[in-house]
Amino acid sequence: MSKGWNDLVGSLRRTLSRLTDRRTGENASYSMADIGLSAFSVFFTQSPSFLSAQKTMEQAKGRSNAQSLFQVEQIPCDNHIRQTLDPVAPEELFGLYDEVLESLWQGGALTGWRGIGDNLLVALDGTWYFSSQKIHCPNCSCLEHKSGEKTYYHSAITPVIVAPGQPHAIPLRPEFITPQDGHTKQDCEIAAAKRWLEKNAAAYAPLKATLLGDDLYAHQPFCRPTRMHDFHFPFVCKPD
């Protein structure tokens, strides 16, 4: 059977407890699991004031939703969460994507997501998750406007399993669009998508997957490796 909520939170806690911890001395009073779960809970509820509200609830009622839903033992402050998680490589969480997908697969939960030819649909798309005209770092991409101003941003390929009639999507391992060692050109979505194929095809192709994408992907240099890695594809393109 696929995992229930408590099992999934337990898997998340185990993964987060193993994250690289660069803290020293007295500032290590909060566990990495509590720090990671507190950060995750903000995205889960889509509420930027979630943690402060939880602390208020804990003081008033003796227990918060962060504790009952996410098994958080102690809620850290926002700054401590940022400072502790910033140095952690995103790849340290990738195993959790695989664990959830394996659970869904083995439990038969993917049956309702399959379409023509018993295939799963995997949608590829790039998304920005940070942008600023002032704050930037060596891993930023840069968009230069006609006015001369620059927008610095971070983005990633975020593949998800989708299906007609399904209100949810199942996320797969992402691939970050970031400067690559030995490359002089700025990294881009299509280059990141090719890296995603190389890294993940062996794991995902056996699921019998069809890749979906917009016209950015609809050209021979990307279609060919898609077929070489045993994926099917319909990529959108205009008649001309």
Side-chain angles (χ1 to χ4, degrees):
M1 296 177 63
S2 57
K3 294 186 176 184
W5 173 258
N6 288 335
D7 292 325
L8 289 171
V9 173
S11 294
L12 181 57
R13 170 171 281 279
R14 286 192 297 275
T15 299
L16 295 172
S17 68
R18 296 191 291 265
L19 294 180
T20 300
D21 187 355
R22 301 185 186 279
R23 297 172 298 168
T24 58
E26 296 180 356
N27 68 341
S29 57
Y30 294 98
S31 71
M32 290 300 288
D34 278 353
I35 292 170
L37 283 165
S38 297
F40 177 79
S41 66
V42 173
F43 291 96
F44 184 85
T45 60
Q46 298 292 295
S47 172
S49 62
F50 179 78
L51 292 181
S52 60
Q54 293 304 300
K55 286 190 174 183
T56 301
M57 183 186 300
E58 184 180 3
Q59 291 170 357
K61 299 185 177 181
R63 189 169 177 82
S64 68
N65 288 337
Q67 293 167 321
S68 58
L69 286 175
F70 299 100
Q71 303 170 17
V72 175
E73 296 174 3
Q74 299 182 82
I75 302 176
C77 68
D78 293 353
N79 285 338
H80 189 62
I81 292 173
R82 294 190 189 96
Q83 292 169 0
T84 307
L85 293 183
D86 274 354
V88 177
E91 287 78 8
E92 294 190 37
L93 294 171
F94 281 8
L96 190 62
Y97 290 89
D98 304 336
E99 189 174 339
V100 171
L101 182 63
E102 177 69 17
S103 174
L104 294 172
W105 188 13
Q106 295 297 333
L110 295 181
T111 302
W113 296 73
R114 294 193 177 275
I116 296 173
D118 199 34
N119 267 232
L120 292 173
L121 301 177
V122 176
L124 299 176
D125 199 9
T127 184
W128 289 21
Y129 58 92
F130 167 84
S131 67
S132 174
Q133 292 186 327
K134 296 180 179 180
I135 301 172
H136 59 93
C137 72
N139 289 324
C140 279
S141 300
C142 180
L143 179 64
E144 190 165 353
H145 305 279
K146 291 182 179 180
S147 63
E149 293 183 328
K150 294 181 179 180
T151 297
Y152 301 96
Y153 63 94
H154 283 211
S155 58
I157 302 291
T158 53
V160 292
I161 298 175
V162 295
Q166 291 285 359
H168 306 293
I170 302 172
L172 304 177
R173 289 186 175 208
E175 178 64 33
F176 293 92
I177 302 171
T178 188
Q180 301 296 298
D181 291 340
H183 291 251
T184 56
K185 291 185 178 180
Q186 181 168 266
D187 197 26
C188 63
E189 182 176 336
I190 197 68
K194 289 179 180 179
R195 293 197 302 274
W196 183 86
L197 278 177
E198 292 291 337
K199 294 177 181 178
N200 300 292
Y204 296 146
L207 296 174
K208 296 181 65 177
T210 293
L211 301 185
L212 309 177
D214 57 25
D215 57 354
L216 184 67
Y217 300 92
H219 55 74
Q220 190 271 346
F222 189 76
C223 293
R224 187 169 184 271
T226 298
R227 292 298 299 126
M228 290 176 64
H229 287 296
D230 294 325
F231 290 107
H232 299 289
F233 67 87
F235 296 138
V236 177
C237 63
K238 296 180 181 179
D240 56 355

